[in-house]
């Protein structure tokens, strides 16, 4: 059975059982700061299980993209060397949100395994939690599994918790028996407990049955739920009769590609690999490349980019580990990009985003490969030199300073250095590496002041969840009005819940309804005020947790209490400028795609009242001509005065209509579609102008690189852009007036009588200045007689030496004079001391025939030291500066001794 059939049959089966097929979420978690990457099927349903989010279905099936390569799941060194370790994997899952429970969940799992996939029942074993008699009875009585194939295990293996408190419950696991040749234990129970490679868990069914209020204090949930996860790679291996996941058709195409490029042989027989270490190393390298190519391709397609921080660093570690293994297979051929192309051909039917972003994915991999290879050999030489030094001393641990140098200067992730060291039977001092990293963090740490009070993140999450349980999500009315009458549902001082905030205090307020936009989608939160009889609160910022708006407030007078009814007002001017920048961001995004290409996608954004910042995927700087073209397109659409009439529709319907969805944004079943004429159509929950004419004007003020493959544009609109333009015009008019040129209007209307445009005139003036400076230098130089200086040459031993002070400050002119004197001497040393107020230039020039024995830099250092200065340079020319020119005679005396 092909892997695509396994995936499709799973989804089709559960759809027939009334489940809604839900697409995989992005690998970069949406609105969940607790996760580095999506690592389980239930991640995207977390708030649904917690009761914080309601969906229009209560049964779901999904095939989720997952990555585990950081934090507690950081077992990167095992990938490629074991049968089932992966960085990227897929998770098959079916879910019940308060609908069916154990009976149906167990029946569905057993039916699809034994009837749809037709796995022989004697190949399967199940485990249940030690006290879960209900699950054990269902397996035996309902599905007919013999009791000698049902094993009871303890809390460590068969009890699941979401956290220290919250939903939890027993689970039941299904194991596949790969055969006696892969284990030592004849007793299946002992083999499963021992974790033998013969018995492999292929499915875990979690029954969310309890709410743990405190450790050990559990109460039954009113609506128990089901969360199941079946490892796709393990399932495919079982159905294809392969013990090792890498020997399935999931990896075959990539490994075949790598073998063709490198000439390597891939050995699948584990016994042959045990007997041939060289073959084992090659096979491991191919498996590492196959796994890491999958992870890199999916992560980049989902918006991640290699960098030195957070998710980007995890991606960089994965890619550089793969590149290094690729170098071991071939010194001169690039392997990883071709493997990714093979992956995209194989996986596009299931994940079309791979094909859509193929060019960007491949280019990013090429660039990271080139970047790392440029330092790989040099870093390897340094490590090997260090290993030799340690070996000579009888030491076997690479110190943290060396690990940090390889990381910081040569881009070697710690786990890559560890791997290379272990290949030579060395270990690494991770503790001292961590110390060096902390020192670096302290050195680079910048001070930061928040907009409001310091608040405990854990407190805000818990508090907002508690408010949600007794109230609905904050009703946002800010699309239609900037003022509302609202009730204060709760107050906090940032660390704990309080009942009142008084004059001089700062805190956080939750309202039942709010016109304040909560920071999200790159747009900053609104500011404004609350008012009531006897109290005012200045709103400094507004954020959101669990669909609850958190208003960060300061009390200038009176007090605000829980239960108060207040008039909540958004600052009109600030909101107006913010939404102008937000709408302009949409227009600019469309213009970027039109001018630069459809590969452009958002990689980050910031929308504030006084500017917009937009990061986007593009592999080269935007040219000046392209900037002008983008500005022209945006301003043209602004002038068309498009009405914006946001529409709410189903997500699928919106995507079919051509709306652009942005990476990293969380979209519900219903989405808000924002259309600006036929030019831009995006999904967006932010606030916007009513008509594009309200944006008034758009101006790009900077374009720069952020990281490999990501560019950044900063731009201004509305009041800010108008003020910018007026100031620029005023300053330019002043320049024109000084130069006695026609006013700007004359140039715009082509009525200027001048033969040159204003900009051409300025370029002409700059050219004239450069020419005049050259003439001045020439005149300065001509004031000094070369013949006179040559005539003052002294014989020091057999060497002609000119050592004179001349009345010039300009180093360039002094250098020209020293060259002319040296050329006249043909063989000799020229030392010139210039003139200066606080510091005097000193130059030394040595003819080539003498510079082998007498170095200009050495002479300069000695002379400068006598006069309290310093300098340096080449063997034939050096220059410096001295503060004490009065010591010139002493310096010349020292010169005589040096030359002799």
């Amino acid at each position: 059975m092909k892997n695509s059939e396994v995936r499709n049959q799973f989804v089709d089966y559960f759809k027939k059982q009334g489940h809604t097929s839900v697409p995989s979420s992005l690998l970069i978690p949406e609105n969940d700061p607790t996760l580095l990457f999506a690592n389980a099927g239930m991640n995207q349903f977390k708030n649904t299980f917690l009761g914080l989010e309601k969906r229009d279905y209560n049964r779901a099936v999904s095939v989720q993209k997952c990555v585990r390569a950081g934090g507690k799941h950081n077992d990167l060194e095992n990938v490629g060397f074991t049968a089932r370790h992966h960085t990227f994997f897929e998770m098959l899952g079916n879910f019940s949100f308060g609908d069916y429970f154990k009976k149906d969940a167990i029946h569905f799992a057993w039916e699809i395994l034994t009837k749809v996939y037709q796995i022989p029942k004697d190949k399967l074993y199940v485990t249940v939690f030690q006290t879960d008699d209900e699950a054990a009875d269902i397996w035996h009585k309902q599905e007919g599994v013999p009791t000698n194939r049902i094993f009871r295990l303890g809390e460590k293996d068969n009890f699941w918790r979401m956290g220290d408190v919250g939903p939890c419950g027993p689970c039941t696991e299904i194991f596949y028996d790969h055969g006696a040749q892969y284990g030592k234990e004849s007793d299946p129970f002992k083999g499963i407990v021992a974790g033998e490679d013969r018995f492999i868990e292929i499915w875990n069914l979690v029954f969310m049955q309890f709410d743990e209020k405190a450790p050990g204090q559990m109460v039954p949930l009113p609506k128990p739920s089901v969360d199941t996860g079946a490892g796709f790679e393990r399932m495919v291996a079982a159905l294809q009769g392969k013990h090792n996941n890498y020997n399935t058709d999931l990896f075959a195409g990539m490994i075949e590609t790598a073998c063709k490029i490198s000439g390597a042989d891939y050995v699948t027989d584990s016994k042959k690999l045990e007997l041939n270490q060289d073959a084992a190393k090659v096979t491991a390298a191919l498996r590492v490349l196959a796994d890491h190519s999958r992870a890199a391709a999916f992560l980049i397609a989902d918006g991640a980019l290699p960098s030195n921080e957070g998710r980007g660093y995890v991606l960089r570690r994965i890619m550089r580990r793969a590149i290094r293994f690729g170098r071991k297979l071939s010194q001169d051929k690039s392997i990883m990009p071709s493997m990714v192309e093979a992956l995209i051909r194989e996986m596009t039917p299931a994940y079309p985003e791979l094909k859509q972003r193929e060019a960007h994915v491949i280019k990013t991999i090429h660039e990271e490969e080139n970047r790392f290879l440029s330092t790989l050999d040099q870093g390897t030489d340094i490590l090997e030199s260090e290993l030799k030094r340690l070996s000579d001393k009888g030491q076997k641990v690479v110190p943290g300073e060396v690990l940090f140098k390889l990381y910081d200067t040569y881009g070697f992730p710690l786990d890559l250095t560890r791997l290379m060291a272990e290949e030579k039977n060395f270990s690494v001092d991770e503790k001292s590496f961590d110390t060096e990293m902390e020192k670096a963090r302290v050195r680079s740490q910048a001070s930061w002041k928040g907009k409001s009070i310091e608040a405990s993140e854990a407190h805000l999450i818990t508090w907002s969840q508690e408010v949600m349980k007794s109230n609905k999500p904050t009703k946002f009315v800010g699309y239609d009005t900037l003022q509302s009458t609202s009730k204060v549902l709760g107050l906090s001082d940032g660390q704990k819940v309080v009942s009142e905030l008084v004059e001089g205090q700062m805190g956080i307020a939750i309202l039942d309804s709010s016109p304040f936009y909560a920071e999200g989608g790159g747009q900053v939160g609104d500011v404004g005020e609350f008012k009531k009889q006897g109290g005012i609160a200045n709103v400094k910022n507004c954020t959101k947790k669990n669909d609850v708006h958190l208003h960060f407030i300061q009390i200038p007078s009176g007090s605000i209490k829980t239960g108060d009814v207040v008039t909540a007002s958004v600052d009109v001017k600030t909101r107006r400028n913010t939404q102008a920048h937000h709408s302009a961001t949409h227009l600019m995004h469309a213009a970027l795609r039109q001018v630069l290409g459809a590969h452009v996608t958002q990689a980050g954004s910031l929308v504030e009242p006084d500017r917009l910042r937009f990061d986007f995927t593009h592999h080269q700087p935007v040219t000046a001509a392209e900037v002008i073209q983008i500005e022209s397109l945006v301003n043209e659409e602004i002038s068309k005065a498009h009405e914006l009439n946001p529409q709410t529709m189903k997500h699928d319907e919106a995507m079919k209509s051509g709306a652009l969805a942005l990476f990293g944004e969380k979209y519900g079943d219903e989405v808000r579609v924002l259309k600006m004429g036929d030019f831009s159509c995006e999904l967006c929950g932010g606030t916007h102008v009513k008509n594009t004419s309200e944006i008034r004007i758009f101006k790009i003020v900077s374009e720069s690189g952020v990281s490999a493959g990501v560019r950044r544009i900063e731009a201004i609109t509305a009041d800010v852009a108008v003020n910018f333009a007026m100031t620029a015009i005023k300053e330019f008019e002043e320049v024109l007036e000084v130069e006695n040129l026609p006013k700007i209007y004359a140039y715009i209307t082509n009525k200027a009588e001048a033969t040159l445009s204003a900009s051409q005139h300025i370029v002409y003036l700059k050219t004239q200045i450069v020419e005049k400076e050259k003439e001045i230098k020439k005149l300065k130089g001509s004031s000094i007689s070369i013949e006179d200086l040559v005539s003052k040459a002294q014989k020091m031993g057999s060497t002609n030496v000119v050592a004179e002070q001349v009345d010039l400050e300009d180093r360039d002119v002094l250098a020209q004079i020293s060259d002319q004197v040296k050329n006249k001497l043909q063989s000799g040393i020229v030392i010139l001391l210039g003139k200066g107020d606080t510091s005097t230039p000193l130059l030394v020039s040595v003819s080539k025939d003498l510079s082998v024995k007498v170095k200009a830099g050495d002479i300069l250092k000695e002379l400068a030291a006598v006069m309290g200065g310093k300098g340096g340079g080449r063997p034939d020319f050096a220059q410096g500066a001295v503060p004490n020119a009065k010591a010139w005679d002493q310096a010349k005396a020292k010169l005589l001794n040096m030359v002799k």
Side-chain angles (χ1 to χ4, degrees):
M1 184 181 291
K2 293 180 180 178
N3 72 76
S4 58
E5 294 173 319
V6 178
R7 192 186 291 109
N8 293 339
Q9 288 184 16
F10 185 87
V11 174
D12 289 344
Y13 171 81
F14 280 101
K15 283 169 72 174
K16 290 176 183 175
Q17 312 306 321
H19 291 63
T20 297
S21 177
V22 181
S24 170
S25 67
L26 295 178
L27 283 168
I28 298 172
E30 300 169 332
N31 225 11
D32 189 346
T34 64
L35 275 180
L36 194 64
F37 299 111
N39 60 16
M42 67 83 63
N43 290 159
Q44 66 172 311
F45 303 115
K46 180 178 176 182
N47 282 346
T48 309
F49 282 122
L50 288 170
L52 301 174
E53 178 184 343
K54 187 165 179 62
R55 302 192 178 222
D56 58 5
Y57 50 82
N58 52 24
R59 296 183 177 199
V61 58
S62 71
V63 183
Q64 175 64 44
K65 299 176 290 188
C66 299
V67 165
R68 290 183 185 173
K72 66 180 182 180
H73 300 297
N74 186 16
D75 48 9
L76 198 60
E77 67 274 8
N78 293 323
V79 175
F81 293 88
T82 67
R84 275 166 287 283
H85 271 100
H86 302 291
T87 52
F88 173 87
F89 60 96
E90 295 173 79
M91 188 66 77
L92 306 169
N94 60 290
F95 309 91
S96 164
F97 311 118
D99 186 16
Y100 62 82
F101 201 47
K102 294 181 184 179
K103 283 188 175 183
D104 286 334
I106 289 172
H107 173 70
F108 292 153
W110 194 247
E111 185 171 64
I112 191 173
L113 289 176
T114 60
K115 293 184 179 178
V116 177
Y117 291 151
Q118 297 184 349
I119 297 176
K121 293 179 181 180
D122 61 4
K123 281 281 191 180
L124 301 173
Y125 294 87
V126 298
T127 64
V128 298
F129 183 51
Q130 56 194 5
T131 60
D132 193 356
D133 297 333
E134 181 186 7
D137 285 346
I138 293 169
W139 278 116
H140 178 56
K141 295 177 180 177
Q142 177 180 288
E143 303 304 328
V145 178
T147 53
N148 64 355
R149 303 182 81 85
I150 303 170
F151 306 126
R152 293 176 183 256
L153 297 179
E155 193 167 308
K156 179 185 174 184
D157 297 295
N158 280 74
F159 199 89
W160 176 91
R161 287 180 170 84
M162 186 174 283
D164 293 334
V165 295
C168 61
C171 60
T172 181
E173 296 177 328
I174 305 171
F175 287 78
Y176 179 85
D177 183 0
H178 277 275
Q181 68 270 34
Y182 295 109
K184 297 177 182 178
E185 285 287 351
S186 57
D187 183 340
F189 175 73
K190 291 181 179 178
I192 289 172
V193 171
E196 280 196 346
D197 231 17
R198 171 181 175 177
F199 303 98
I200 303 302
E201 178 210 327
I202 58 172
W203 206 336
N204 184 15
L205 283 62
V206 175
F207 305 123
M208 294 188 195
Q209 194 168 345
F210 304 105
D211 182 8
E212 192 162 20
K213 299 293 186 181
Q217 297 179 19
M218 298 182 199
V219 296
L221 285 169
K223 289 186 176 181
S225 298
V226 174
D227 159 28
T228 86
F232 180 61
E233 289 75 12
R234 295 181 176 203
M235 189 75 78
V236 171
L239 292 171
Q240 293 182 359
K242 307 292 185 183
H243 180 251
N244 191 302
N245 293 357
Y246 291 97
N247 295 340
T248 65
D249 65 351
L250 276 166
F251 299 90
M254 287 186 291
I255 291 175
E256 286 171 11
T257 299
C259 289
K260 285 178 183 177
I261 295 171
S262 65
D265 290 324
Y266 180 64
V267 179
T268 59
D269 190 322
S270 57
K271 290 185 178 179
K272 287 182 180 178
L273 293 174
E274 289 174 7
L275 298 172
N276 188 332
Q277 286 301 303
D278 289 338
K281 289 178 181 178
V282 170
T283 295
L286 289 165
R287 289 171 175 171
V288 169
L289 272 162
D291 173 272
H292 290 7
S293 293
R294 290 209 313 166
F298 275 98
L299 282 169
I300 295 168
D302 273 7
L305 285 167
S307 69
N308 286 332
E309 293 180 345
R311 298 181 177 108
Y313 183 55
V314 176
L315 172 59
R316 172 159 283 169
R317 286 168 50 213
I318 291 170
M319 293 179 72
R320 294 194 168 187
R321 188 170 186 260
I323 293 163
R324 196 256 174 174
F325 273 100
R327 175 60 76 89
K328 291 173 79 73
L329 293 176
S330 174
Q331 285 292 313
D332 58 351
K333 292 176 182 175
S334 176
I335 298 175
M336 192 176 178
S338 297
M339 293 182 77
V340 169
E341 288 172 350
L343 166 81
I344 291 173
R345 286 193 296 271
E346 166 72 24
M347 299 289 275
T348 289
Y351 300 102
E353 65 269 21
L354 288 173
K355 189 65 180 175
Q356 293 164 4
R357 307 201 75 205
E358 181 175 17
H360 170 64
V361 170
I362 298 299
K363 192 159 189 176
T364 301
I365 289 171
H366 270 301
E367 287 186 350
E368 183 67 12
E369 185 174 58
N370 293 336
R371 191 177 296 109
F372 184 44
L373 289 178
S374 69
T375 61
L376 176 60
D377 292 338
Q378 193 176 358
T380 301
D381 290 343
I382 288 172
L383 178 59
E384 289 181 349
S385 174
E386 178 64 18
L387 296 181
K388 184 178 184 304
R389 185 186 71 80
L390 292 171
S391 183
D392 291 344
K393 290 184 175 182
Q395 298 174 0
K396 285 298 210 178
V397 181
V398 183
E401 308 91 79
V402 176
L403 301 174
F404 181 75
K405 181 180 180 181
L406 288 168
Y407 161 81
D408 190 48
T409 307
Y410 300 100
F412 278 42
L414 175 61
D415 35 37
L416 177 60
T417 305
R418 184 198 302 113
L419 174 69
M420 296 170 72
E422 287 174 350
E423 289 175 352
K424 304 285 186 180
N425 297 315
F426 283 79
S427 60
V428 298
D429 187 348
E430 289 192 38
K431 189 172 181 180
S432 63
F433 171 77
D434 291 339
T435 301
E436 294 296 323
M437 285 288 287
E438 184 58 30
K439 287 179 186 176
R441 271 192 287 271
V442 170
R443 285 194 298 269
S444 64
Q445 191 173 41
S447 62
W448 179 86
K449 292 183 179 179
K451 289 184 178 181
S452 188
I453 65 171
E454 290 186 9
S456 162
E457 183 76 9
H459 162 63
L460 295 183
I461 292 172
T462 304
W463 180 41
S464 60
Q465 286 176 349
E466 290 300 318
V467 171
M468 272 284 287
K469 286 179 181 177
S470 53
N471 299 276
K472 295 178 180 178
T474 305
K475 183 182 180 182
F476 176 58
V477 297
Y479 290 136
D480 305 311
T481 181
L482 297 185
Q483 191 175 88
S484 70
T485 301
S486 306
K487 183 179 179 180
V488 179
L489 298 179
L491 294 169
S492 166
D493 64 4
Q495 305 298 321
K496 64 184 183 300
V497 175
V498 296
S499 60
E500 182 181 21
L501 291 171
V502 299
E503 184 174 331
Q505 288 187 322
M506 302 174 77
I508 304 161
I510 296 176
L511 307 180
D512 61 345
S513 64
S514 174
F516 288 82
Y517 179 80
E519 182 180 311
Q523 180 178 330
V524 297
D526 279 330
V527 298
E529 66 176 14
F530 301 162
K531 271 187 177 180
K532 66 155 197 170
Q533 188 72 30
I536 296 176
N538 293 328
V539 180
K540 301 292 188 180
N541 191 18
C542 184
T543 64
K544 186 162 60 174
K545 297 286 181 195
N546 300 311
D547 291 325
V548 173
H549 287 219
L550 305 175
H551 305 80
F552 288 70
I553 60 175
Q554 183 179 32
I555 313 297
S557 65
S559 68
I560 298 290
K561 299 178 181 178
T562 301
D564 281 346
V565 174
V566 298
T567 299
S569 304
V570 174
D571 184 83
V572 176
K573 185 176 179 180
T574 304
R575 164 72 86 85
R576 186 181 65 212
N577 282 319
T578 301
Q579 60 193 26
H581 281 97
H582 200 158
S583 298
T585 301
H586 284 227
L587 291 174
M588 184 181 70
H589 191 185
L592 284 166
R593 289 170 66 86
Q594 190 167 316
V595 174
L596 304 180
H599 65 278
V600 169
T601 55
Q602 179 179 317
S605 72
L606 175 66
V607 178
E608 295 182 314
D610 57 355
R611 64 164 179 157
L612 70 86
R613 188 184 73 208
F614 190 76
D615 297 345
F616 58 98
T617 54
H618 190 56
H619 291 271
Q620 60 198 41
V622 182
T623 67
E626 288 168 337
V627 167
I628 292 171
Q629 194 177 352
I630 292 161
E631 287 178 333
S632 298
L633 282 170
V634 174
N635 281 308
E636 184 180 349
E637 294 303 316
I638 290 170
S639 69
K640 289 180 180 178
H642 297 299
E643 288 288 338
L644 275 71
N645 295 307
Q647 291 182 296
T648 300
M649 59 181 73
K650 294 288 186 183
H651 185 274
D652 291 345
E653 183 185 345
M655 299 310 294
K656 288 175 184 175
S657 73
L660 185 66
L662 304 181
F663 280 110
E665 293 301 307
K666 183 176 181 179
Y667 300 112
D669 299 325
E670 287 197 336
V671 294
R672 192 165 176 261
V673 180
L674 201 73
K675 200 168 185 290
M676 301 185 200
D678 295 324
F679 191 73
S680 169
C681 184
E682 291 189 16
L683 307 187
C684 185
T687 63
H688 290 269
V689 297
K690 303 294 184 187
N691 186 295
T692 57
S693 63
E694 295 172 27
I695 301 171
R696 298 164 74 189
I697 186 173
F698 170 82
K699 175 64 184 167
I700 292 174
V701 293
S702 74
E703 191 279 339
S704 60
V706 178
S707 60
V710 177
R711 306 299 300 176
R712 170 173 291 172
I713 280 179
E714 294 195 45
I716 52 178
T717 71
D719 293 349
V720 186
V722 171
N723 291 337
F724 174 87
M726 296 301 290
T727 303
I729 290 169
K730 181 176 180 294
E731 291 175 352
F732 193 38
E733 289 280 15
E734 290 170 357
V735 172
L736 295 175
E737 188 173 342
V738 169
E739 294 301 323
N740 197 27
L741 291 168
K743 296 293 185 181
I744 289 176
Y745 178 75
Y747 292 104
I748 296 171
T749 57
N750 294 319
K751 292 179 180 177
E753 295 177 1
T755 55
L756 296 176
S757 72
S759 59
Q760 287 173 325
H761 188 82
I762 291 171
V763 171
Y764 168 75
L765 289 175
K766 288 175 71 175
T767 305
Q768 289 296 300
I769 290 169
V770 172
E771 291 299 322
K772 295 298 181 187
E773 286 176 344
K774 288 180 180 177
E775 287 181 24
I776 291 168
K777 287 184 178 182
K778 190 174 181 180
L779 288 169
K780 285 180 178 178
S782 65
S783 68
I784 304 298
S785 171
I786 303 300
E787 296 297 335
D788 186 49
L789 287 172
V790 172
S791 68
K792 292 179 180 178
Q794 302 176 49
K795 279 280 187 182
M796 293 186 178
S798 59
T799 304
N800 289 315
V801 179
V802 172
E804 295 294 327
Q805 184 169 15
V806 294
D807 192 16
L808 284 173
E809 295 182 24
D810 195 308
R811 288 176 179 272
D812 292 338
V813 178
L814 286 169
Q816 291 172 12
I817 292 171
S818 70
D819 281 343
Q820 292 176 44
V821 174
K822 183 176 67 176
N823 291 338
K824 287 281 187 181
L825 292 174
Q826 294 185 344
S827 176
I829 301 170
V830 180
I831 300 148
L832 297 180
L833 179 69
K835 289 284 187 182
D837 294 331
T838 57
S839 182
T840 306
L842 178 67
L843 286 82
V844 178
S845 187
V846 179
S847 58
K848 286 191 176 179
D849 63 314
L850 297 177
S851 64
V852 177
K853 293 185 293 180
V854 183
K855 310 293 184 189
D858 294 341
I859 296 174
L860 182 90
K861 286 176 185 175
E862 294 290 336
L863 298 182
V866 174
M867 293 184 279
K870 59 183 179 180
R874 307 187 306 268
D876 63 331
F877 180 79
Q879 60 181 323
V882 295
N884 183 19
K886 292 179 180 178
W888 175 233
D889 290 337
Q890 294 169 253
K892 285 197 289 186
K894 185 164 189 176
L895 172 66
L896 177 63
N897 293 329
M898 287 178 65
V899 175
K900 285 181 179 179

